[in-house]
Structure formats: C-alpha cells, structure tokens
Amino acid sequence: MNTALTFLLIEVIDNFMVNIGIEWQGTLIFAFVTGFIGRKLRKDEDEPPDIDSEEFKKIDNKFKS
C-alpha cells in the first residue's frame, strides 16, 4: 500500500509541474525502492506492547512512581 501511495503521489505532483516530466516507469521504480527500504526499516522495529499486557503495566508503573 505504501508503494502504491508513493506512486500516486509522485504522479499527481508530476502533473502539476510544467517544466519537469517524470516517466511513469521511473516513478514506479522509485516507489518500489522506497517501499522496500521502508519495509526493511519497519521490520527491525519492535511492536509496542498491548495496553492490557504485563509489559505495558510495568512501564506504566515506572511512570507513576
């Protein structure tokens, strides 16, 4: 979804730029590359704890003390 939104955003911006033209193939390649990089970066991030989990309660208790 991120790749598709990037592609659409660049295509919309390209339509408003009179002096600069971007081929749709270049836009597609750019969208795939940025999507791949974003996916790799998010893959390594830890998910935040659920609000009803023990881990969340421990963190919450640290801020209340």
Side-chain angles (χ1 to χ4, degrees):
M1 185 163 156
N2 192 14
T3 302
L5 290 175
T6 302
F7 177 77
L8 290 173
L9 179 63
I10 293 174
E11 284 296 314
V12 168
I13 291 171
D14 182 44
N15 287 330
F16 289 110
M17 295 188 298
V18 178
N19 296 330
I20 299 173
I22 303 171
E23 295 292 327
W24 70 269
Q25 295 93 343
T27 304
L28 188 62
I29 291 169
F30 178 78
F32 276 124
V33 168
T34 56
F36 178 73
I37 292 170
R39 189 173 196 180
K40 283 294 204 184
L41 290 175
R42 280 190 309 266
K43 179 182 170 187
D44 296 336
E45 289 182 5
D46 293 333
E47 289 290 324
D50 292 330
I51 198 162
D52 58 346
S53 69
E54 290 295 321
E55 183 182 1
F56 186 84
K57 290 175 185 174
K58 288 178 185 177
I59 294 170
D60 192 36
N61 287 337
K62 287 181 183 178
F63 285 109
K64 288 182 179 179
S65 314

